[in-house]
Amino acid sequence: MIRPIFSALALICLSLPAQAETFEKVKVDAGAELFETACKRCHSVDADKASYGPLLNGVVGRKAGTKDGYPYSEALENAGFVWTPGALRAWMEDNDAFVPGTKMRHVGIEDPTVQDFIVSYLTTLH
Ligand code: HEC
């Protein structure tokens, strides 16, 4: 009587991490596509390629305005915060309000799901 319940529980426990991983992968893939349309024309993720905006590899956990060699606006250079997922979401939603004086053109991504997917993708860039 108890056995089938344990087997079912064991199966569920075994499959949960796999499902979580799959979901994260779906988010990263979706984020990569969204990044391609919304960000990539200005932001390279290839260290050997110059782009109009700063390189975003390793941006999660990096202090704002500190990527070596990039000519940031004074506003971003002096902003003094670290890019967390929350800061990135606020930036995507309204970058001019988040850092007044930034030279990044307003992107205005208000959908939290889209923000979340793009953050998932950015987290994978080292
Ligand atoms: C029209 C060009 C353009 C687009 C599109 C664009 N950016 Fe930017 N981005 C810039 C520029 C220019 C800067 C530098 C801003 C400054 O110095 O004030 C910047 C800065 C940033 C920074 C700060 C990086 C650092 O090193 O502190 C982040 C994060 C960022 N952008 C993320 C994004 C994301 C995510 C998208 C897409 C949703 C995006 N950007 C779309 C031009 C763009």
Side-chain angles (χ1 to χ4, degrees):
M1 197 46 197
I2 278 186
R3 257 233 183 113
I5 295 173
F6 273 128
S7 322
L9 274 178
L11 260 181
I12 291 168
C13 292
L14 281 175
S15 61
L16 271 181
Q19 274 174 10
E21 198 179 294
T22 312
F23 182 53
E24 193 52 38
K25 190 178 178 321
V26 169
K27 283 169 63 179
V28 168
D29 289 349
E33 273 187 38
L34 291 160
F35 183 87
E36 189 92 28
T37 29
C39 323
K40 208 170 183 177
R41 68 176 184 277
C42 296
H43 288 284
S44 168
V45 291
D46 175 351
D48 297 327
K49 235 173 100 188
S51 59
Y52 169 63
L55 198 70
L56 292 182
N57 300 57
V59 72
V60 184
R62 185 165 87 205
K63 198 171 168 204
T66 58
K67 186 76 192 165
D68 277 353
Y70 182 81
Y72 288 97
S73 65
E74 222 171 281
L76 200 60
E77 203 169 273
N78 297 327
F81 63 86
V82 168
W83 286 115
T84 58
L88 286 163
R89 282 195 285 267
W91 174 257
M92 281 187 254
E93 182 150 348
D94 192 347
N95 52 292
D96 307 309
F98 193 63
V99 180
T102 176
K103 65 176 180 178
M104 179 167 130
R105 198 189 307 154
H106 181 81
V107 283
I109 295 177
E110 288 175 9
D111 185 336
T113 309
V114 173
Q115 294 169 3
D116 197 37
F117 286 177
I118 294 179
V119 169
S120 285
Y121 169 66
L122 290 175
T123 308
T124 65
L125 302 174
H126 301 292

